[in-house]
Amino acid sequence: MGQRIEPIAASNFLLMGYPKKRSFLVHSSSAIPENRFQTGRVAPETGIYRVVHNNHRLPHEVVILRGQIFPRCSKCFGSVLFELAHAAPDLFQSGFCRVYELPAIEQESIETCA
């Protein structure tokens, strides 16, 4: 007959290093990480910020200058988060244009560009 395979006891299984226990931290859904900023807050530094909208648009990137207010979205208003992707302290030292509201891009205009 073939070999008999003995079941591994749970204690032996853990002694071999399986399964590895992983610790994790649970965040409240209302908590915002330190590296993300909400609409209406002042930008701490000049750079390229990743913009995350609430449900209607995929994330994208914008340039925000230090001291500017993070703009709202014309579609989801204050449900926008900004995360510094690339710091660029010397960007636009000679001149700049301020954005007070991010325009909503309709699906039709996206399809015509593709």
Side-chain angles (χ1 to χ4, degrees):
M1 290 198 133
Q3 288 182 317
R4 180 171 178 200
I5 300 174
E6 294 291 327
I8 298 175
S11 59
N12 290 342
F13 191 67
L14 291 174
L15 288 175
M16 292 187 316
Y18 300 101
K20 298 212 184 270
K21 292 185 179 183
R22 296 182 184 183
S23 60
F24 58 93
L25 182 61
V26 177
H27 291 283
S28 167
S29 60
S30 62
I32 298 174
E34 288 183 26
N35 63 338
R36 289 197 171 184
F37 306 94
Q38 290 180 306
T39 295
R41 304 259 327 257
V42 176
E45 60 185 300
T46 298
I48 299 171
Y49 286 82
R50 183 171 297 106
V51 184
V52 180
H53 293 260
N54 185 24
N55 298 326
H56 81 92
R57 185 174 179 185
L58 292 174
H60 61 98
E61 294 180 343
V62 296
V63 174
I64 304 282
L65 302 179
R66 180 180 181 187
Q68 282 186 319
I69 303 294
F70 288 108
R72 69 185 191 116
C73 171
S74 62
K75 189 161 188 169
C76 60
F77 304 106
S79 298
V80 182
L81 290 177
F82 296 84
E83 180 180 2
L84 183 64
H86 307 283
D90 298 328
L91 191 64
F92 297 123
Q93 288 297 320
S94 59
F96 57 89
C97 176
R98 293 181 188 257
V99 176
Y100 295 100
E101 184 174 84
L102 300 171
I105 297 176
E106 300 302 323
Q107 187 63 27
E108 291 176 10
S109 63
I110 293 173
E111 290 172 357
T112 39
C113 292

